[in-house]
Amino acid sequence: MTLRSIFCIFFSFIVLAGCATTTTPRGTTPEALLKEGDDLYAIKHYDDAIIRWKKVKESVTAPDIVALADLRIANSLFENKKYIEAASDYENFRKLHPNHENIPYTTYRLGLCYFNQITGIDTEQTPVKNAVTMFETYLRQYPASELVKEVREKLEVCKTKQLQYEIYVGRFYFRTDKYPAAIKRFEEALVVFPKSKIHDETLFYLGRAYLDNGEKPKGKEVLSRLLNEFPSSSFAPKARKILNKS
């Protein structure tokens, strides 16, 4: 065997040994594996931490330890921005450990998983709907929580996104001359989101849709409402101009 071959074999053993220290669990007890996972989590080696905690689940049946491992795995997936997988694990945790003290926390985190999947207003709306459901559930079940303020703020963001989507669809109908469909969409948006701060846009396009649909009195009424409720809106000058001409 040549010196070069010996060196290559030796180097391969070093590489394999190095990989083993980061991907293969070293501990033999559940407590040791949990600790190793915690240490890896602390330095953001989330995938390696999950390996340790899955080993814990394979080695014990004690419900309290399994619950700890389940929650740690979900948290690692969340911190690694794998929100779909994390959401699934948090949901499973809620089903498997319904009386656990961390159920409020997992409910909040589940809402955040959906919240962090929200993208543009013209894309899939399921994450928004799921986030609203979970945040409303949290506020209903834990009204005294210290996270209530933050949850309410995120819930408001979600509802604004939902309204923006309704306006987006309504504008599409308006621009394609489908005025009855546009009117229906805008009217429903006013009912479902009665206190939104962006209803100036809803009212502007609703008023225009009524006018273009031949319903002049209703159109003028809606545009006048826009001017009364949102006098500083960027839509106000446009509404005033339309009213002056009609």
Side-chain angles (χ1 to χ4, degrees):
M1 182 178 293
T2 65
L3 181 61
R4 179 183 177 84
S5 299
I6 294 173
F7 175 78
C8 290
I9 293 172
F10 178 72
F11 181 74
S12 298
F13 277 119
I14 292 176
V15 172
L16 289 171
C19 293
T21 61
T22 59
T23 61
T24 303
R26 298 185 303 276
T28 56
T29 66
E31 293 77 14
L33 289 168
L34 280 171
K35 178 62 168 58
E36 286 182 21
D38 290 345
D39 292 342
L40 290 163
Y41 178 90
I43 58 175
K44 301 183 179 181
H45 288 193
Y46 301 121
D47 290 337
D48 292 334
I50 288 173
I51 291 174
R52 269 60 175 189
W53 293 326
K54 284 185 175 180
K55 285 290 183 181
V56 171
K57 293 180 62 177
E58 293 171 1
S59 62
V60 299
T61 57
D64 55 339
I65 297 179
V66 171
L68 285 176
D70 282 338
L71 186 56
R72 281 164 161 79
I73 290 170
N75 286 340
S76 287
L77 290 168
F78 180 91
E79 295 299 337
N80 209 17
K81 299 183 179 180
K82 296 180 179 180
Y83 299 122
I84 295 176
E85 295 93 330
S88 177
D89 276 25
Y90 283 130
E91 189 60 63
N92 286 335
F93 184 93
R94 285 160 48 82
K95 291 177 181 178
L96 294 172
H97 314 287
N99 299 317
H100 198 276
E101 62 181 359
N102 280 310
I103 288 297
Y105 169 81
T106 56
T107 302
Y108 171 65
R109 273 298 182 98
L110 183 53
L112 284 183
C113 285
Y114 296 128
F115 184 84
N116 290 337
Q117 293 178 57
I118 297 172
T119 53
I121 62 171
D122 58 343
T123 56
E124 171 60 42
Q125 295 298 296
T126 300
V128 186
K129 294 177 183 177
N130 289 340
V132 167
T133 297
M134 295 315 304
F135 289 147
E136 288 181 338
T137 298
Y138 188 93
L139 293 174
R140 185 172 60 254
Q141 294 181 349
Y142 315 108
S145 167
E146 61 183 13
L147 293 174
V148 162
K149 182 176 182 294
E150 182 178 345
V151 172
R152 281 179 178 159
E153 290 173 352
K154 285 183 166 52
L155 178 59
E156 184 63 28
V157 171
C158 291
K159 290 190 173 182
T160 298
K161 293 284 188 184
Q162 287 182 311
L163 175 55
Q164 288 174 328
Y165 177 75
E166 294 303 312
I167 295 173
Y168 169 81
V169 175
R171 285 202 316 262
F172 170 78
Y173 288 137
F174 174 78
R175 289 168 179 166
T176 54
D177 301 333
K178 297 177 182 177
Y179 303 122
I183 289 169
K184 184 176 185 296
R185 203 84 187 199
F186 292 133
E187 288 283 11
E188 288 177 350
L190 290 171
V191 173
V192 176
F193 308 99
K195 298 180 180 179
S196 176
K197 297 177 181 178
I198 65 169
H199 270 320
D200 53 340
E201 186 175 5
T202 311
L203 292 170
F204 177 73
Y205 282 104
L206 176 59
R208 289 189 62 187
Y210 271 128
L211 290 173
D212 289 355
N213 198 45
E215 301 178 69
K216 190 173 181 179
K218 285 187 176 181
K220 293 175 68 174
E221 179 185 344
V222 171
L223 292 178
S224 295
R225 177 182 169 185
L226 163 60
L227 294 176
N228 290 330
E229 295 184 9
F230 303 93
S232 301
S233 167
S234 61
F235 292 97
K238 301 175 185 177
R240 192 173 292 110
K241 185 176 180 180
I242 293 172
L243 285 172
N244 289 338
K245 288 183 178 180
S246 58

